Each structure stands twice: as structure tokens, then as C-alpha cells.
């Protein structure tokens, strides 16, 4: 399959080459078909598109800025670094782009309840926000480990009227939150929409979420052309489930001279086994309804993941990234916890922007790509979210708490 | 255990035929391999056969059982923590099949995919297993499994749900072999106090979808836990499938021995139910 065909992917059954598809219980098949149809008719309906665009503009604050990061760029081999500021969106991350689309769709399908899984809590906050705006009942599943490290977001969701259910089984992180949301959905599908937060899950989710996030790259492409008169040399993003990355990449896929780099959570290092770098260290299998790369053992049991970033702490990845990896169109590398935290601090100190720890993985990657491509390069970095939610983790990491020595 | 040339492959269909000939529904019992231990599972399944189960489903413990409620999650977690491997699942099948009961494996798709679909079918067949029940594999993605199950003459039990359209019922029953698993409710596994009122209708619709073809038996599962409920289900389905209730007995018992006794009593109660 050629890269040109990327624009037409997935196929009608939700496949990106050999990836994606629909590995789901029969009980959900009718709902997945209904969702596919509802989505297709909605995006073909000018009224739906107008309402979504209106919300994106007047509520989420789009288009998001493209900010030049000169002092940060000096540390990245002197490359010109342009930050796509998804952190400035309402609720503080790219997650709102997808959620507004799915929430409008929920209402259009006549459903009254919306559920979500969340890792960092950004998708949960976005879902709770849209639910409040549209008057939907909202339940968010979140791994117990993540409710502790992202406590601020738990409070935000509850403040917005959502019920947050801590998930206490398995590794008590994002994957287990997904399991629990699916369990809810099989029992509630008649009146409930499962608003999946990334480009993962059974068809049509990877396609639909990508389409809602595509605006990141569409805007960035225009903005960079306007600013520099040419396309960038590289687009860089962090990859958890892969939604901000595919959103940033997609409009650039046909531009074959633009390199696409995804950075996964390397945790304590891929060799240590304590990581969440699915595309770098995983193998092909089936998880959460899709065929994709995942972290599994010889028996096909999902492995526990490790990352300082709750939003990247996931053993699977969106199927389109698996396809981009295998075709070679995009390159995926791992960034360790400490590299990410160094880049986190660097952006704070050079640009006065506190990024999400997830996004800090992209920033660490940009430092690498900048060194590689040199001072003539222009690099667009998707700054997927802001770091308020991470201050607790950062304070501990850097010893910012009163009475303790600072590591900065 | 190689099948002797010419001998027919074991199929669960014969267990359903035998039950029908006796004017009753078949009793199908589920238990995960390795729970409460490798030996414990074999002993419990053997007790289930002795006390009246016609078919045993051996669950393949999987790290992310997203169709299962808390009871089966607990059991599977215990099995995995105990170190159960796929090879142990095949050994369990071999031991249970040796009792004479028809034995299936119930598994999420990824372990089979990872093992290699053809290799899995081969090893299941040589362990004496009849086939697979696949809760997260539907005909859309089943091509490799259809081929492997044909090659090794294995049963393939797909699920139908209350939400399945008539077109889907026709498609699913069209590729099924052995029996058709009707999920009695929209939800995960686990005991319920009452059988969903839509269940009988689903069984009827499933049968209708097979009209004009040689019909497969329809077993009903999810939520059944008492002799009373078994009797009710036996009134409209060809088989009654029980899982969580057996596990509950083993989880709650003070010792393996007491657990197996309780499993035996429950089996007898259910076996009585399907004969009422
Ligand atoms: C700010 C931010 N960036 C990135 C991610 C990772 O998700 P994805 O890979 O789908 O963009 C998250 C997830 O929680 C997030 O909150």
C-alpha cells in the first residue's frame, strides 16, 4: 500500500493495512455499526459541522497558536522550534477536540449518558466538560494509581458534575480503566455512548477520533506555511494511544519530505522492561478491540507498563500508528522518564511554558531531532497539554517541596 | 493424544443430542484453568462432570477479561498469579476430556493470536478438546480461525446477543459449529437474581435464523446460578451454561475440599433443574 492511500484509510471494515478492525463482543456490534453510520451522516451534515466548528472556535478557543520557541530551540541544535499550542485549548489539552465531536454525536444519537476512560485525567476532564455543556450524565473510569498522581483532575471532573470511579483491578492504570469502561458499555449501550479518548478501540473509533483531532495538523500546516513560506522539516508528537500524534501528523502524511516522529514513554529505559514504548518494544496482537502493536508476553498476556506520565502509560497504540511504523512513513522512538522531565524543566525555564509531562516526551524528542537535523531545520512540536495537573509529580521529582533539596 | 485415523472428531453436538434424546437440556459448566490451582481446577471440573455436567468449558486465563464481571476476574487473576500458562490449559483440557465430558476452551482472542491460530488449533485438538468459544471474536475477523477449525475439525462457538440483528444472527449461526452461545443479557458475566425477559426471544430468533439449514443447538449463558433458573432456561433453550456460580463456591469455601463439595452440590441442583 502506498502512502497516497493513507488518505483513504481505514477501509470500510476499519483496517489500516493489517491493523485495526473490530475485535469486540457481539453485544457491541450493533452499537458500533450504529455509531459508524451516525458518524458518517453527521460529518456529511453541514449543520453538524457548523455546530462543531462553532464550539471549537468559541468554546475551545481554536485555532490554537503556533508559538516560536527560540530559547528552547537554541538547546535543540539551533533548530527553529514551533510549538502547536494545544495546551491553550479550554480544559488544557488536545483532548477537547475529540470530545466535542463525540459529545455532539452522543446527543445526535439520542443517548443521554456518556462514559470515558482516562489516564492523565485530561480526557476525563474534557468529557466532563462537554457533558456539563450539553447536559449529559457523565461517568469517568480512572485507574486508582492515576487518581493519586493526577488528583487535581479528579477534583476538576467531580466539580464539573461527573462521577469518577477509581478502578482497582489489574495494574490500576489506563488499560484497566478502559476494561472497566467497556464493561459498563456492554450493559448500558442502549442509552450510553462510550467516548474513547484516543485513536484506539474497535472501528470506527480510531478513524473517528483521528478525524476529530486532524484539525491540529491542518491548522499547523497553514500556520507554518504562513510563517515560514514552506513546509516544516519535521513534525514531532508524543504517543500514548496516539491521538495528538495522528492529529498532528495526518495532514502532513502526503507531504513526503516532512518527517514524522512519534515519541513513546520509555520509562526507566526500554531495556529495563519498565516502559510503555509499544511501537518500539512491542509485538503485534489484539487489545481493546483492535489489532495493533502491544506489549505482551509469549502467552499474549498484556504486560504492565511504566511511565512517569499517566497519559502515556498504556500497553497498546492506535492502529494507524502501527501502519505508519510498518510502512516507514513515521518514525517512533522512546524517551525515558528522566529525559522527559529534563525537557519539562527546560521548557519552563526557557519559554515560561509549563507543559504536560506527556507533551514533555515530545519536547525531549524535539531536542533529539533538532540535534540531528541541525540549525536550518524547522520542527513543529505538538504541545498536547499544559502541566498544571503534573505539579505534584514535578514537585516530587525536582524536590520543590519545602524542606527538601531542589534537584534543579 | 493423536486421533486415530477415521475416528470422528469429538464435538459438543453429541452431548446436546444425548440430552435431547433424554428429553432435557444439556448442562454446560465453566471453570478457568489454574483456578484455584492447576490440580484444583482439574478436580473441580471432574466433580462437575461426575455430578451431571455434559460439557465443560475451560477458561483460558487472560490479563484483560473485558467481558467478565468481578467473580471471574478474581478467579482468572488468581490463576495468572499462580503462574498458569497456555500449555497448562491444554493439559487441563486433556485431563477433563479424559473423564469423557465434551470439553471446549473459552478464550479471548489475543492468546490464540499470539500462540498462532493454527498451532493453537493443532494443540487443542491433540489434547482432546472439541473447539473454542470466542467472546471477543466475531465472524468479521474470524477468517484464520475458520480455516484452522476446518483443518482440525474443531467446534467454533460464537456468541449471539440481545442486540444482534437478524442479519447478524444468520451470519453468526452460519459459521458456528457445535452449538450457538446466546448471551442472556446485555452485560458482563456474573450471577443475576433473574433471567432477562428477552432471553427466550433471543433463542427463538436464533433458531429462526437457522431455519432451512440443519439447526445447531442453542445454549443460554450469563447470569444463571440456581436450579430454579436452570429449569426456567431449560424450558426454552437446548443448553444451560453456568460459570460464575461455580467459581463463587470455590472462592467462598474455607478449603479446596469444601469448595469441591459445594461445586458438586451446585452441579446436582442444576442437573436436576435441566431435567425438571
Ligand atoms: C496532554 C496529553 N498529551 C498526550 C496524551 C496521550 O494521549 P494521545 O496519545 O492519545 O494523544 C494525553 C493523555 O492523557 C494527554 O493528557
Amino acid at each position: 500500500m502506498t502512502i497516497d492511500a493513507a488518505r483513504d484509510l481505514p477501509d470500510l471494515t476499519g483496517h489500516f493495512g493489517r491493523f485495526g478492525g473490530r475485535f469486540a463482543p457481539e453485544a457491541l456490534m450493533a452499537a458500533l455499526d450504529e455509531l459508524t453510520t451516525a458518524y458518517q451522516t453527521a460529518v456529511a451534515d453541514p449543520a453538524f459541522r457548523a455546530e462543531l466548528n462553532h464550539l471549537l472556535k468559541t468554546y475551545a478557543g481554536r485555532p490554537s497558536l503556533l508559538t516560536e520557541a527560540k530559547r528552547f530551540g537554541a538547546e535543540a541544535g539551533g533548530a527553529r522550534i514551533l510549538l502547536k499550542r494545544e495546551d491553550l485549548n479550554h480544559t488544557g489539552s488536545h483532548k477537547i477536540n475529540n470530545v466535542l465531536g463525540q459529545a455532539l454525536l452522543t446527543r445526535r444519537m439520542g443517548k443521554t449518558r456518556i462514559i470515558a476512560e482516562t489516564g492523565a485525567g485530561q480526557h476525563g476532564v474534557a468529557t466532563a466538560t462537554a457533558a456539563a455543556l450539553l447536559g449529559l450524565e457523565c461517568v469517568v473510569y480512572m485507574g486508582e494509581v492515576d487518581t493519586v498522581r493526577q488528583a487535581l483532575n479528579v477534583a476538576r471532573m467531580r466539580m464539573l458534575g461527573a462521577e469518577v470511579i477509581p478502578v482497582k483491578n489489574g495494574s490500576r492504570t489506563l488499560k484497566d480503566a478502559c476494561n472497566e469502561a467497556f464493561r459498563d458499555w456492554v450493559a448500558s449501550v442502549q442509552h450510553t455512548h462510550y467516548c474513547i479518548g484516543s485513536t484506539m478501540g474497535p472501528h470506527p473509533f480510531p478513524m473517528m477520533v483521528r478525524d476529530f483531532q486532524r484539525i491540529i495538523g491542518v491548522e499547523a500546516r497553514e500556520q507554518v506555511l504562513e510563517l515560514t513560506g514552506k513546509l516544516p522539516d519535521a513534525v514531532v508528537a508524543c504517543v500514548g494511544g496516539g491521538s495528538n500524534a495522528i492529529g498532528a501528523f495526518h495532514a502532513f502524511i502526503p507531504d513526503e519530505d516532512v518527517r514524522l516522529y512519534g515519541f513513546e514513554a520509555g520509562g526507566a529505559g526500554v531495556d529495563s522492561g519498565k516502559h510503555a514504548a509499544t511501537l518500539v518494544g512491542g509485538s503485534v496482537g489484539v487489545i481493546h478491540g483492535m489489532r495493533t502493536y502491544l506489549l505482551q508476553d509469549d502467552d499474549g498476556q498484556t504486560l504492565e507498563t511504566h511511565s512517569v506520565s499517566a497519559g502515556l502509560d498504556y500497553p497498546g497504540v492506535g492502529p494507524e500508528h502501527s501502519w505508519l511504523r510498518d510502512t516507514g512513513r513515521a518514525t517512533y522512538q522512546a524517551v525515558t522518564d528522566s529525559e522527559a522531565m529534563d525537557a519539562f524543566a527546560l521548557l519552563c525555564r526557557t519559554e515560561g511554558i509549563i507543559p504536560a509531562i506527556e507533551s514533555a516526551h515530545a519536547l525531549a524528542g524535539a531536542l533529539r531531532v533538532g540535534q540531528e537535523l541541525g540549525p536550518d531545520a524547522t520542527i513543529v512540536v505538538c504541545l498536547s497539554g499544559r502541566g498544571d495537573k503534573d505539579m505534584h509529580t514535578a514537585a516530587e521529582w525536582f524536590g520543590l517541596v519545602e524542606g527538601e533539596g531542589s534537584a534543579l | 493424544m493423536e486421533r486415530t485415523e477415521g475416528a470422528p472428531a469429538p464435538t459438543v453436538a453429541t452431548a446436546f443430542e444425548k440430552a435431547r434424546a433424554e428429553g432435557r437440556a444439556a448442562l454446560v459448566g465453566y471453570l478457568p484453568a489454574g483456578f484455584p490451582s492447576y490440580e484444583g481446577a482439574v478436580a473441580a471440573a471432574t466433580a462437575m462432570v461426575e455430578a451431571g455436567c455434559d460439557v465443560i468449558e475451560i477458561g483460558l486465563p487472560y490479563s484483560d477479561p473485558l467481558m467478565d464481571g468481578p467473580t471471574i476476574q478474581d478467579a482468572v487473576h488468581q490463576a495468572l498469579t499462580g503462574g498458569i500458562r497456555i500449555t497448562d490449559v491444554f493439559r487441563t483440557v486433556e485431563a477433563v476430556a479424559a473423564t469423557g465430558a465434551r470439553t471446549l476452551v473459552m478464550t479471548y482472542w489475543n492468546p490464540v493470536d499470539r500462540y498462532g491460530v493454527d498451532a493453537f488449533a493443532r494443540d487443542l485438538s491433540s489434547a482432546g478438546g472439541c473447539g473454542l468459544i470466542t467472546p471477543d471474536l466475531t465472524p468479521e475477523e474470524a477468517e484464520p480461525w475458520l480455516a484452522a477449525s476446518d483443518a482440525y475439525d474443531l467446534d467454533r462457538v460464537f456468541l449471539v446477543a440481545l442486540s444482534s440483528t437478524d442479519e447478524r444472527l444468520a451470519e453468526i449461526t452460519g459459521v458456528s459449529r457445535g452449538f450457538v452461545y446466546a448471551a442472556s443479557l446485555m452485560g458482563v458475566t456474573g450471577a443475576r437474581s433473574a433471567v432477562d425477559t428477552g432471553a427466550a426471544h433471543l433463542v427463538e430468533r436464533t433458531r429462526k435464523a437457522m431455519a432451512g439449514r440443519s439447526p445447531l443447538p442453542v445454549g443460554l449463558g450469563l447470569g444463571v446460578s440456581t436450579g430454579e433458573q436452570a429449569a426456567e432456561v431449560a424450558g426454552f433453550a437446548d443448553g444451560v451454561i453456568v460459570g460464575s456460580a461455580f467459581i463463587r463456591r470455590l472462592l467462598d469455601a474455607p478449603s479446596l475440599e469444601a469448595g469441591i463439595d459445594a461445586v458438586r452440590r451446585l452441579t446436582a441442583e442444576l442437573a436436576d433443574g435441566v431435567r425438571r
Side-chain angles (χ1 to χ4, degrees), chain A residues 13 15 20-31 33 169-170 175-176 178-180 182-189 283-289 291 294 296-303, chain B residues 60-69 73 77 80 84-87 109-115 135-141 144 159-165 168-169 172 185-188 192:
Chain A
T13 51
H15 294 90
R22 210 182 250 182
F23 294 83
E26 173 59 21
L28 292 179
M29 286 309 210
D33 280 338
N169 43 34
K175 131 184 123 66
D176 309 285
C178 284
N179 291 345
E180 217 46 44
F182 271 111
R183 290 183 186 118
D184 179 316
W185 203 32
V186 230
S188 62
V189 63
S283 53
V284 177
V286 173
I287 187 170
H288 291 146
R291 180 179 297 286
L294 71 131
Q296 58 181 334
D297 70 11
D298 291 342
D299 272 3
Q301 310 289 352
T302 311
L303 293 172
Chain B
L60 191 156
Y62 175 53
S63 52
D64 294 275
L66 54 83
M67 282 295 290
D68 287 304
Q73 284 178 46
H77 181 73
L80 288 173
I84 202 82
R85 301 290 310 266
I86 291 180
T87 47
W109 194 243
N110 194 50
V112 182
D113 192 81
R114 178 70 169 161
Y115 196 88
D136 64 348
L137 186 76
T138 58
E140 283 90 336
E141 300 284 352
L159 276 72
V160 294
L162 296 177
S163 57
S164 303
T165 59
R168 292 195 62 84
L169 291 179
I172 293 165
L185 52 86
M186 293 294 284
V188 295
R192 306 289 202 283

Side-chain angles (χ1 to χ4, degrees), chain B residues 134-228:
Chain B
T134 51
D136 64 348
L137 186 76
T138 58
E140 283 90 336
E141 300 284 352
E143 216 176 282
W145 168 231
L146 299 186
S149 50
D150 280 346
Y152 295 94
D153 261 332
L154 292 168
D155 288 333
R156 40 190 192 227
V157 180
F158 291 97
L159 276 72
V160 294
L162 296 177
S163 57
S164 303
T165 59
D166 289 344
E167 296 75 53
R168 292 195 62 84
L169 291 179
E171 190 189 351
I172 293 165
T173 55
V175 295
S176 297
R177 198 151 58 204
F179 78 101
V180 180
Y181 190 129
S184 73
L185 52 86
M186 293 294 284
V188 295
T189 57
R192 306 289 202 283
S193 55
V195 178
D196 192 287
T197 48
H201 184 55
L202 173 62
V203 172
E204 193 187 309
R205 288 177 56 223
T206 307
R207 288 196 179 121
K208 211 173 273 171
M210 293 184 280
R213 292 184 267 136
S214 60
L216 292 166
V218 182
L220 191 98
L222 294 199
V224 182
S225 64
T226 65
E228 194 83 19

Side-chain angles (χ1 to χ4, degrees), chain A residues 92-95 118-123 174 197-199 238-245 310-312 356 358-359 384-386 389:
Chain A
S93 81
H94 68 295
K95 298 288 182 187
T118 198
Q122 289 301 100
H123 174 60
L174 183 52
S198 192
T199 43
C238 68
V239 180
S243 68
N244 88 89
L312 304 183
E358 289 76 20
S359 320
S384 55
R386 67 177 191 228
K389 68 184 179 61

